[in-house]
Amino acid sequence: MTVALYRRTITILSAFLCICAGTLQAQNDKAAMPSPPATATTTFDGITATVNYAQPAKKGREIFGKLVPYGEVWRTGANEATTINFSGDVKIGGKSLKAGTYSLFTIPNKDKWTVIINSEAKQWGAYGYKQDKDILRADASISNLKEHQERFTIGFEKADNGTMLTMAWDMTKVSVAITK
């Protein structure tokens, strides 16, 4: 191996290692964020549903009605807009939705929440939210949790005719039915 070829090989390997180290650091930084990324996935009736969101923490704050105001569109998590993907056509709260990836917003209220499916999946929080891009709005029921939930969590629970999309934080749990 010539000295020039050796030096070029070392330069290329060094650049590769720097790129790999940067990628690993970015992944570690994301996991250490105050509102780390999370994913919830379920399969029902041959359809896969996946939600990607960020999990803010309560940190002693008053959440609903204060940090998350009543009657206003909320990004339903933290950081980027929460996204939801369906591998097949579904019904949310009895309303039809085609397969695809969407942003998921909510409007919290004391007595019920509104779940919003919006066509613009790639956006930061609710800052760029446009109501005219809404595809579906459905009412969601509220229940009180028996134990405090420190981090905002989205999940799925089996239901007789599909699944329930659930969102829980502080002492509040919100549920909406998803069927085929």
Side-chain angles (χ1 to χ4, degrees):
M1 180 182 283
T2 67
V3 173
L5 181 58
Y6 177 77
R7 286 183 182 158
R8 193 173 330 151
T9 302
I10 294 297
T11 301
I12 291 169
L13 284 173
S14 296
F16 176 75
L17 290 173
C18 286
I19 291 169
C20 289
T23 300
L24 288 173
Q25 183 62 41
Q27 289 172 348
N28 287 337
D29 289 348
K30 212 171 197 184
M33 294 171 69
S35 300
T39 300
T41 302
T42 192
T43 301
F44 65 98
D45 294 331
I47 295 171
T48 300
T50 303
V51 179
N52 291 299
Y53 66 106
Q55 293 185 292
K58 178 173 170 58
K59 298 179 184 176
R61 301 175 290 185
E62 187 177 338
I63 302 300
F64 299 111
K66 199 74 156 170
L67 179 67
V68 178
Y70 288 128
E72 294 181 19
V73 173
W74 179 44
R75 68 175 109 189
T76 314
N79 306 329
E80 295 138 3
T82 295
T83 60
I84 190 164
N85 174 274
F86 297 101
S87 65
D89 297 352
V90 297
K91 290 184 179 179
I92 298 179
K95 298 177 181 181
S96 297
L97 180 68
K98 297 283 185 193
T101 301
Y102 305 93
S103 56
L104 171 68
F105 294 101
T106 52
I107 301 174
N109 285 296
K110 285 182 182 181
D111 57 344
K112 70 174 181 176
W113 282 29
T114 302
V115 172
I116 302 168
I117 303 298
N118 187 277
S119 65
E120 288 190 37
K122 300 274 186 194
Q123 49 186 310
W124 184 262
Y127 301 108
Y129 168 78
K130 294 180 180 86
Q131 185 173 346
D132 63 343
K133 300 290 184 179
D134 289 355
I135 295 175
L136 178 150
R137 284 184 174 221
D139 289 339
S141 62
I142 299 173
S143 59
N144 292 319
L145 295 170
K146 292 180 181 175
E147 293 183 22
H148 163 261
Q149 177 88 29
E150 176 64 22
R151 287 216 175 266
F152 175 69
T153 303
I154 297 177
F156 294 97
E157 294 177 2
K158 281 193 169 220
D160 292 337
N161 191 22
T163 190
M164 295 295 285
L165 172 66
T166 62
M167 296 166 269
W169 198 13
D170 194 11
M171 297 300 292
T172 302
K173 180 178 177 181
V174 178
S175 305
V176 65
I178 303 175
T179 59
K180 188 168 180 180

